[in-house]
């Protein structure tokens, strides 16, 4: 599915300019941070929304079940946000196909980091004022190097 991702020609040209991989491009770090941020926004909407809904309407639910559903909804909301953003530049059908081809490795890493951090801090599937920012930070930092590598090596900006 990853072949459906669009290729950013500027980054691809830069990545092909050298044969050795390098982690020092500030331009690529900035772009991969922007891509990761959009992905984080999409994932957080579904993830935190699910946790909050269970926290309000079904407190005491099994934490692993809630976090599994939160991860699934985070993936779905991230894909929906990406499709919406891409639909400004392409047909909705192509935008959805591209969004579905995003890097699931990145999104799964992000979702796992967010939920693991929340669980380690709170001990259950629950949002607190002091656990949201560390969860978001972990969700951003976990896939960011992968997204840099993907953009630098493959020239793919999928978020």
């Amino acid at each position: 599915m990853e072949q459906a991702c669009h290729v950013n020609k500027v980054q691809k040209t830069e990545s092909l300019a050298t044969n050795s991989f390098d982690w020092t491009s500030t331009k690529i770090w900035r772009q991969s941070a922007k891509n990761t941020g959009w992905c984080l926004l999409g994932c957080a909407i579904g993830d935190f929304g699910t946790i909050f809904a269970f926290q309000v309407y079904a407190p005491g639910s099994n934490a692993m079940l809630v976090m599994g559903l939160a991860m699934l909804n985070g993936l779905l909301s991230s894909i929906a946000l990406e499709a919406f953003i891409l639909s400004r530049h392409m047909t909705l059908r192509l935008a959805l196909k591209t969004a579905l081809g995003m890097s699931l490795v990145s999104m799964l890493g992000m979702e796992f980091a967010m939920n693991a951090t929340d669980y380690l801090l709170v001990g259950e599937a629950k949002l607190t004022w002091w656990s949201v920012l560390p969860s978001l930070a972990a969700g951003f930092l976990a896939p960011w190097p992968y997204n840099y590598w993907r953009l630098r090596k493959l020239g793919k900006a999928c978020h």
Side-chain angles (χ1 to χ4, degrees):
M1 272 207 288
E2 292 190 17
Q3 291 85 355
C5 291
H6 60 286
V7 176
N8 187 322
K9 290 181 177 37
V10 174
Q11 280 85 4
K12 185 160 187 165
T13 302
E14 183 178 335
S15 72
L16 295 175
T18 63
N19 288 334
S20 62
F21 190 81
D22 135 38
W23 291 93
T24 62
S25 173
T26 28
K27 180 180 177 183
I28 303 286
W29 277 113
R30 275 194 303 271
Q31 183 62 47
S32 63
K34 181 180 171 186
N35 298 348
T36 304
W38 279 111
C39 186
L40 181 65
L41 175 63
C43 285
I45 290 169
D47 191 295
F48 289 163
T50 301
I51 293 172
F52 184 72
F54 273 92
Q55 185 174 330
V56 170
Y57 298 110
S61 295
N62 179 288
M64 294 303 124
L65 173 67
V66 173
M67 289 189 172
L69 290 171
M71 289 178 71
L72 176 64
N73 286 336
L75 293 172
L76 294 174
S77 62
S78 184
I79 290 168
L81 178 63
E82 178 69 13
F84 173 75
I85 292 168
L86 291 173
S87 69
R88 297 182 305 177
H89 307 289
M90 57 184 72
T91 66
L92 183 57
R93 183 176 182 180
L94 183 57
L96 187 56
K97 183 178 178 181
T98 302
L100 287 169
M102 290 184 310
S103 175
L104 289 178
V105 171
S106 176
M107 289 189 294
L108 287 171
M110 179 177 287
E111 284 293 333
F112 180 79
M114 288 171 61
N115 283 283
T117 301
D118 183 50
Y119 189 79
L120 289 172
L121 291 175
V122 181
E124 58 184 314
K126 185 176 182 180
L127 298 176
T128 64
W129 65 269
W130 51 271
S131 67
V132 170
L133 284 178
S135 293
L136 288 171
F140 180 85
L141 293 173
W144 190 20
Y146 173 78
N147 290 338
Y148 175 95
W149 171 83
R150 186 174 165 82
L151 186 59
R152 179 78 175 161
K153 184 78 172 174
L154 305 175
K156 293 188 179 183
C158 298
H159 299 295

